[in-house]
Amino acid sequence: HLAEVADEEYKREQKAKEDAYNQFEKRIEDNIKLGATDRDSAIKWILDAEDLTDERDPGYICYSLGLDYKHENIFKEVA
């Protein structure tokens, strides 16, 4: 029984991570539609809106946005 519960929780966590990433990508698209000149600018707008502009730790940015740490490279490129 515990293995089933653990498996269900793992699936929920993976879905939440996927949803968070999809929402982040949508925010990027929305910011580009609002006038951000490119993807990097849109990400900078998001970081500014979340008061993360001066944050240099990509892991903390992922944590703050609810993203999986495998997406840290997004913020290393923009920082």
Side-chain angles (χ1 to χ4, degrees):
H1 174 71
L2 291 177
E4 290 176 23
V5 172
D7 188 45
E8 289 175 20
E9 182 60 26
Y10 176 78
K11 289 177 184 176
R12 274 193 291 273
E13 288 176 8
Q14 295 306 313
K15 173 102 172 74
K17 289 177 183 180
E18 183 180 322
D19 290 346
Y21 181 74
N22 290 336
Q23 288 175 339
F24 178 71
E25 286 294 327
K26 180 164 180 1
R27 285 181 76 181
I28 292 171
E29 291 174 20
D30 291 346
N31 279 306
I32 290 172
K33 289 177 186 173
L34 289 171
T37 55
D38 57 17
R39 181 177 172 83
D40 286 348
S41 294
I43 293 170
K44 287 178 183 179
W45 287 15
I46 293 168
L47 296 178
D48 188 42
E50 298 293 330
D51 200 25
L52 294 167
T53 304
D54 296 328
E55 183 58 53
R56 297 292 170 233
D57 180 0
Y60 182 75
I61 295 171
C62 286
Y63 170 79
S64 296
L65 297 175
L67 299 174
D68 192 321
Y69 292 110
K70 71 181 181 183
H71 300 295
E72 288 184 22
N73 62 326
I74 294 170
F75 306 107
K76 288 179 183 175
E77 297 168 7
V78 177

